[in-house]
């Protein structure tokens, strides 16, 4: 059910009603409280296992409270792009950022399709500029973009002439509609279609040949600058691939600019956050658009009108404060059936995403986000001004000395930043070569020293999840954000298709989120010292506690085995009335989550896969992330940013979706937990007295844990990539044996 609220001109806020969900939210909350009261009342009659269960269940109750707070007021925004011309005759310019870090892990053909789809959006070409950051400093990436710009000359007019909706060519030509039933298409369209297909196949073939030749090809002409380049030791390279001001172009296309920032071994390059700040400064000198879109290299445009939808939210708000940035949810194409790795987040976007939209604090997800440039520069909303407590106010009337301290010593960039902060018309790029020369300075690896980049302005440093921290700082200054969910979906990317890749991604997220939580810019600190509201703080805590959740999850999973080994208990006996609290809690949660998946159109198998992977991720990836942060805190080792491997292929292999393993330590905790449960079950069933049901609950819980870790159980006996390496099994067996011996002595 939905209830519309007085729509603005360009968008309509719709309040969503989920009465059944709210009933379950309240029911489960009171069941959790009842369980805690029961634990406290009988605390003196039990030992260590009972106390540990109480602590774990207290954590689960807190997590439930913050999650319910996030989902309690769901809304969605319906946009009206057809009304946009009535509101703004002259659409504002937008700078588009595409980030790529490794041409091997992120194939150039993916980047090319993303760039082409951006060049072909339904938005005035003279209002757009596309900047591609290549942190790999790869001549292959640059060559691919040069060839892509040539193909875009014919592809973009074709898309707009025939109103093609899928504007990433690899998706368009792989769809089922390829001229079947050709009577529905004109002869002219068929001829042009064949021309486009041949052109794209030629483009893909050229990129494939360049990749196979690798660095053996001749680096001459435009490519000479890449000769003798090292991945982490090279000067700045900025190349204007496409200049819309060039004479003789029959079809206008946006600017296309290649940027590879300077890197030196002695200078930290700050990973993606550093690349985004360089793109921000370079674009500020060249085009200085008031709005910026950033996408990952694998996130192509799926809805060609997404810029218009976003502008409805950015321009239609009664107060700029309400739309500091507009986030589009991250969806994926060719997702594996039933989401075997639990990484497609469809249910999360529907309920959690709409819930945080209701309190106007959608998280910045690092891709598919439209920003206001002045917000990235540290500006506060007009109605807050300099009252953002301890956060440094950044505005257009700063003194020159303050501007130098904040933005660096480029006079040209300081001038452009002042324009952006004052909301003046952007500086039109009339002489790109001269502007590019000035841009080399701000892309240097030493430019940020002594400035506020990464701390007060720009993308934030100090964490592997720079996107979440950047969004948190924006919300801390008093800005709000909006969730844009048009139909069809705005952007589509590729989700990891293997166990190690998916787990490594989850580990990086858990590591970065925990770094934020324990840092000086945590949401708790920001609530006290800045303008983050309490419910906004709770929303961030629901996300940032991923790493910490691994501890109660692991302890609770190990408790059944511990109780079986030590002949103790943490559950009520089957004849005690308190057992009904557990049964009601379990059934309520199962029914509640099943309803969510059913309403989203997903299968029961997808539900089970996500429940199973939630346990696996928590006790493996999140736990490793937690340990990484602990090692960083004690200065034993530093956290490492790991680039997620992107895979464009959609293989029909029957084994696709089957769990794979490698020798990484990330699989040791899960294997250890599994071996512990198997050991406990053998010991338990051998000595269990079936007549009184003593210990039955603990045995059933151990069986449930084994079922959750079923992929690991199969991995114990499988071979190759589907089997757990012997080194991992030996490490886990040693840890399990140590646990059993210590438990026996306790």
């Amino acid at each position: 059910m939905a209830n519309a609220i007085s729509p603005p001109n360009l968008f309509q806020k719709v309040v969503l009603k989920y009465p059944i969900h709210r009933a379950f939210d309240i029911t489960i909350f009171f069941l959790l409280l009842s369980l805690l009261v029961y634990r406290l009342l009988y605390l003196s009659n039990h030992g260590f296992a009972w106390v540990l269960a109480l602590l774990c269940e207290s954590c689960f109750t807190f997590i439930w409270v913050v999650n319910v707070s996030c989902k309690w007021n769901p809304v969605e925004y319906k946009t009206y792009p057809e009304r946009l011309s009535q509101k703004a005759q002259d659409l504002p310019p937008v700078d588009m950022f595409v980030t790529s870090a490794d041409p091997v892990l992120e194939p150039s053909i993916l980047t090319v399709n993303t760039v082409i789809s951006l060049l072909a959006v339904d938005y005035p070409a003279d209002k757009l500029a596309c900047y591609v950051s290549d942190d790999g400093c790869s001549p292959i990436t640059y060559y691919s973009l040069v060839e892509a710009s040539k193909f875009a000359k014919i592809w973009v007019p074709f898309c707009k002439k025939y109103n093609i909706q899928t504007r990433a060519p690899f998706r368009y030509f792989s769809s089922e509609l390829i001229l079947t039933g050709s009577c529905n298409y004109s002869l002219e369209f068929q001829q042009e279609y064949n021309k486009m297909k041949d052109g794209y196949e030629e483009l893909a073939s050229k990129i494939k040949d360049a990749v196979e030749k690798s660095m053996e090809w001749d680096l001459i002409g435009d490519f000479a600058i890449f000769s003798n380049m090292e991945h982490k030791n090279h000067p700045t390279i900025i190349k204007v691939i496409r200049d819309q001001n060039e004479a003789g172009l029959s079809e206008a296309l946006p600017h296309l600019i290649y940027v590879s920032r300077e890197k030196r071994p002695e200078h930290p390059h700050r990973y993606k956050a550093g690349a985004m700040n360089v793109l921000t400064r370079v674009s500020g000198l060249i085009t200085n658009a008031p709005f910026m879109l950033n996408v990952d290299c694998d996130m192509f445009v799926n809805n060609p009108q997404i810029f218009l939808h976003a502008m409805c939210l950015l321009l239609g708000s009664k107060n700029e404060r309400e739309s500091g940035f507009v986030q589009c949810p991250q969806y994926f194409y060719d997702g594996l059936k039933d989401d075997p790795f639990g990484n497609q987040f469809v249910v999360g976007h529907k309920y959690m995403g709409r819930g945080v939209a209701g309190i106007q604090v959608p998280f910045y997800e690092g891709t598919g986000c439209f920003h206001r440039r002045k917000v990235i520069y540290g500006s506060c909303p007009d109605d807050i001004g300099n009252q953002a407590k301890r956060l440094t106010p950044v505005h257009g009337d700063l003194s020159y000395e303050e501007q130098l301290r904040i933005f660096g010593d480029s006079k040209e960039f300081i001038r452009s930043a002042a324009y952006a902060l004052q909301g003046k018309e952007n500086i039109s790029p009339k002489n790109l070569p001269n502007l590019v020369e000035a841009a080399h300075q701000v892309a240097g690896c030493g430019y940020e020293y002594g400035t506020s980049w990464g701390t007060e302005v720009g993308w934030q440093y100090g964490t592997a999840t720079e996107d979440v921290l950047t969004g948190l700082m924006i919300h801390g200054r008093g800005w709000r954000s909006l969730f844009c969910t048009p139909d069809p979906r705005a952007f589509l990317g590729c989700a990891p298709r293997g166990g190690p890749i998916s787990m490594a991604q989850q580990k990086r997220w858990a590591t970065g989120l925990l770094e934020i939580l324990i840092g000086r810019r945590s949401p708790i600190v920001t609530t006290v010292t800045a303008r983050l509201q309490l419910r906004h703080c709770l929303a961030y805590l629901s996300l940032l506690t991923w790493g910490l959740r691994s501890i109660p999850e692991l302890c609770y999973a190990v408790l059944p085995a511990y109780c079986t080994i030590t002949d103790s208990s943490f559950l009520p006996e089957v004849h005690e009335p308190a057992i009904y609290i557990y049964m009601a809690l379990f059934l309520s949660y199962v029914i509640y989550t099943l309803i969510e998946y059913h309403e989203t159109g997903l299968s029961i198998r997808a539900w089970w896969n996500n429940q199973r992977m939630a346990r696996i991720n928590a006790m493996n990836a999140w736990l490793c992330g937690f340990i990484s942060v602990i090692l960083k805190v004690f200065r034993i080792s530093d956290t490492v940013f790991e680039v997620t491997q992107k895979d464009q292929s959609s293989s029909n292999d029957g084994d696709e979706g089957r769990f794979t393993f490698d020798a990484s330590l990330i699989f040791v905790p899960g294997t250890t937990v599994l071996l512990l449960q198997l050991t406990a079950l053998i010991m338990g069933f051998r000595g269990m007295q079936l007549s009184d049901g003593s210990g039955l609950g603990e045995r059933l819980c151990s069986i449930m844990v084994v079922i959750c870790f079923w992929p690991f159980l199969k991995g114990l006996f499988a071979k190759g990539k589907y089997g757990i390496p012997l080194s991992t099994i030996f490490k886990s067996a040693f840890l399990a044996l140590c646990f059993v011996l210590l438990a026996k002595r306790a």
Side-chain angles (χ1 to χ4, degrees):
M1 296 176 64
N3 178 35
I5 308 178
S6 56
N9 189 32
L10 296 178
F11 68 87
Q12 180 180 9
K13 182 178 179 180
V14 180
V15 175
L16 304 173
K17 299 293 185 181
Y18 297 124
I20 295 177
H21 293 252
R22 285 194 172 186
F24 272 104
D25 287 335
I26 296 172
T27 300
I28 292 174
F29 173 66
F30 278 108
L31 286 172
L32 286 168
L33 284 182
S34 301
L35 183 59
L36 295 180
V37 171
Y38 166 71
R39 291 280 184 203
L40 290 170
L41 289 176
Y42 291 89
L43 187 61
S44 59
N45 300 335
H46 296 83
F48 170 75
W50 198 267
V51 175
L52 184 59
L54 172 62
L55 294 175
C56 292
E57 289 158 0
S58 300
C59 294
F60 299 149
T61 303
F62 171 75
I63 292 168
W64 186 259
V65 169
V66 296
N67 284 341
V68 169
S69 173
C70 290
K71 298 191 292 184
W72 193 254
N73 302 108
V75 302
E76 65 179 355
Y77 293 92
K78 182 175 178 58
T79 51
Y80 302 99
E82 67 277 4
R83 302 178 185 174
L84 196 59
S85 60
Q86 304 170 19
K87 178 73 178 181
Q89 298 293 336
D90 191 12
L91 292 172
V94 181
D95 287 337
M96 307 175 289
F97 301 157
V98 180
T99 50
S100 174
D102 189 318
V104 176
L105 297 177
E106 300 171 328
S108 296
I109 192 66
L110 282 176
T111 305
V112 159
N113 273 277
T114 297
V115 170
I116 291 174
S117 69
L118 287 169
L119 298 179
V121 294
D122 289 336
Y123 205 79
D126 62 334
K127 299 292 183 180
L128 298 175
C130 183
Y131 296 83
V132 181
S133 172
D134 175 22
D135 260 8
C137 192
S138 169
I140 295 173
T141 302
Y142 176 64
Y143 170 78
S144 301
L145 292 172
V146 170
E147 294 300 318
S149 71
K150 297 175 184 176
F151 175 70
K153 293 179 185 179
I154 60 172
W155 172 252
V156 173
F158 171 76
C159 290
K160 295 187 176 180
K161 179 178 180 180
Y162 294 104
N163 195 27
I164 303 299
Q165 293 301 299
T166 305
R167 305 210 172 164
F170 88 99
R171 290 294 293 171
Y172 179 67
F173 294 119
S174 66
S175 63
E176 297 294 330
L177 55 82
I178 307 305
L179 294 186
T180 53
S182 57
C183 59
N184 297 326
Y185 302 96
S186 68
L187 178 61
E188 180 186 17
F189 172 79
Q190 294 182 44
Q191 290 173 340
E192 291 196 43
Y193 170 86
N194 291 329
K195 179 183 177 183
M196 295 303 114
K197 187 175 182 181
D198 292 342
Y200 179 69
E201 289 175 351
E202 181 182 358
L203 169 64
S205 177
K206 286 181 177 179
I207 295 174
K208 182 180 178 182
D209 290 344
V211 171
E212 290 175 352
K213 291 178 182 177
S214 187
M215 297 300 295
E216 297 176 6
W217 55 331
D218 294 331
L219 295 175
I220 58 176
D222 253 5
F223 302 91
I225 195 171
F226 292 97
S227 60
N228 301 319
M229 285 289 185
E230 296 180 23
H231 172 59
K232 295 184 178 180
N233 188 13
H234 61 84
T236 298
I237 301 174
I238 301 177
K239 293 279 191 179
V240 179
I241 297 174
R242 182 80 177 179
D243 182 357
Q244 64 186 213
N245 296 325
E246 291 177 1
L249 295 182
S250 57
E251 292 292 343
L253 290 177
H255 294 297
L256 177 57
I257 299 165
Y258 170 92
V259 179
S260 183
R261 58 190 169 126
E262 181 185 12
K263 284 188 179 180
R264 301 298 177 194
E266 64 273 17
H267 294 279
H269 59 84
R270 310 292 188 179
Y271 307 107
K272 182 180 175 181
M276 291 300 301
N277 283 335
V278 168
L279 288 182
T280 301
R281 294 193 296 269
V282 170
S283 65
L285 280 173
I286 296 176
T287 45
N288 204 34
F291 297 102
M292 304 179 294
L293 163 71
N294 89 278
V295 294
D296 288 342
C297 64
D298 65 314
M299 296 292 292
F300 68 87
V301 177
N302 186 62
N303 185 331
Q305 289 202 322
I306 180 54
F307 282 63
L308 300 177
H309 287 285
M311 287 305 147
C312 286
L313 296 170
L314 289 165
L315 303 178
S317 301
K318 295 179 180 178
N319 190 325
E320 279 189 350
R321 178 188 181 186
E322 306 302 313
S323 56
F325 64 84
V326 171
Q327 176 67 59
C328 302
Q330 191 172 358
Y331 290 114
F332 306 99
Y333 62 87
D334 290 341
L336 296 175
K337 185 179 179 183
D338 297 325
D339 193 10
F341 300 111
N343 56 8
Q344 296 177 23
F345 310 118
V346 178
V347 172
H349 283 312
K350 180 172 181 178
Y351 294 104
M352 186 66 78
R354 291 175 173 178
V356 293
I359 55 176
Q360 286 192 280
V361 67
F363 311 121
Y364 170 36
E365 298 180 11
T367 183
C369 187
F370 291 84
H371 296 274
R372 294 182 186 272
R373 184 178 289 272
K374 69 178 184 178
V375 172
I376 293 296
Y377 285 173
S379 173
C380 294
D382 292 338
D383 56 343
I384 291 180
N386 296 342
Q387 303 172 14
K389 298 187 180 179
R390 67 184 282 244
L391 293 175
T392 302
V394 180
H395 49 81
D397 298 323
L398 294 171
S399 69
Y400 184 71
E401 289 72 21
E402 290 174 315
Q403 291 174 336
L404 280 175
R405 182 189 65 79
I406 294 173
F407 295 116
D409 59 1
S410 169
K411 295 180 180 179
E412 293 86 353
F413 181 76
I414 288 175
R415 191 184 311 118
S416 75
Y419 269 70
L421 290 168
Q422 293 169 4
K424 294 182 180 179
E425 195 67 27
N426 69 304
I427 304 171
S428 179
K430 296 177 181 177
N431 192 335
L432 275 184
N434 290 344
L435 294 171
V436 167
E437 284 299 318
H440 276 76
Q441 177 189 359
V442 299
C445 59
Y447 180 80
E448 295 181 350
Y449 283 107
T451 71
S452 297
W453 286 100
T455 55
E456 295 176 5
V457 299
W459 273 256
Q460 302 295 292
Y461 300 151
T463 172
T465 50
E466 77 296 322
D467 44 6
V468 176
L469 181 56
T470 301
L472 173 59
M473 290 298 98
I474 291 172
H475 289 134
R477 290 184 178 274
W479 295 96
R480 301 292 175 259
S481 54
L482 299 175
F483 210 44
C484 185
T485 55
D487 185 22
R489 292 169 174 173
F491 302 94
L492 294 179
C494 52
R497 290 174 169 267
I501 301 173
S502 180
M503 299 281 271
Q505 185 183 60
Q506 289 280 339
K507 177 192 171 185
R508 175 166 62 84
W509 289 344
T511 301
L513 295 172
L514 188 54
E515 286 174 326
I516 298 172
L517 181 63
I518 66 174
R520 60 183 179 83
R521 293 177 286 181
S522 75
I524 298 173
V525 174
T526 307
T527 302
V528 175
T529 63
R531 294 290 170 180
L532 198 68
Q533 296 180 2
L534 177 60
R535 287 191 67 188
H536 300 166
C537 176
L538 292 177
Y540 272 102
L541 289 178
S542 72
L543 186 66
L544 301 183
T545 52
W546 280 13
L548 290 180
R549 289 187 211 178
S550 63
I551 304 304
E553 288 261 9
L554 178 64
C555 292
Y556 213 67
V558 170
L559 262 178
Y562 173 83
C563 290
T564 301
I565 294 168
T566 59
D567 196 25
S568 57
S569 67
F570 77 101
L571 293 173
E573 300 295 340
V574 292
H575 55 79
E576 294 183 29
I579 195 68
Y580 293 110
I581 299 177
Y582 271 96
M583 293 174 61
L585 188 57
F586 176 78
L587 290 175
S588 297
Y589 180 78
V590 169
I591 294 171
Y592 179 38
T593 51
L594 278 172
I595 289 174
E596 287 187 330
Y597 278 78
H598 174 72
E599 292 179 348
T600 312
L602 298 176
S603 65
I604 294 179
R605 189 175 183 86
W607 167 82
W608 168 244
N609 286 337
N610 277 264
Q611 299 303 312
R612 177 195 69 186
M613 286 304 302
R615 309 285 79 74
I616 291 175
N617 284 330
M619 284 180 260
N620 290 274
W622 294 4
L623 178 64
C624 288
F626 172 80
I627 295 172
S628 295
V629 175
I630 295 300
L631 294 176
K632 178 182 178 181
V633 169
F634 288 101
R635 302 182 182 275
I636 298 173
S637 68
D638 204 355
T639 55
V640 177
F641 186 94
E642 300 175 62
V643 178
T644 305
Q645 183 176 344
K646 309 297 193 303
D647 183 12
Q648 187 188 30
S649 63
S650 54
S651 168
N652 294 320
D653 184 357
D655 286 332
E656 188 158 23
R658 186 176 170 186
F659 213 91
T660 56
F661 300 88
D662 61 18
S664 169
L665 292 175
I666 205 169
F667 296 106
V668 171
T671 309
T672 304
V673 168
L674 176 63
L675 293 177
L676 266 178
Q677 304 301 335
L678 294 175
T679 303
L681 285 171
I682 294 172
M683 296 173 64
F685 282 116
R686 187 178 61 184
M688 187 174 75
Q689 302 296 321
L690 296 177
S691 58
D692 62 0
S694 176
L696 178 61
E698 283 77 12
R699 275 64 164 185
L700 290 176
C701 287
S702 287
I703 292 173
M704 287 181 59
V705 175
V706 171
I707 294 173
C708 284
F709 280 85
W710 193 258
F712 283 69
L713 183 61
K714 293 197 296 184
L716 290 176
F717 306 100
K719 296 181 179 180
K721 65 180 182 179
Y722 301 114
I724 301 175
L726 283 176
S727 61
T728 301
I729 295 176
F730 289 147
K731 293 170 187 173
S732 298
F734 174 75
L735 291 173
L737 178 61
C738 291
F739 181 90
V740 172
L741 294 176
L742 290 173
K744 279 288 188 181
R745 294 181 61 181

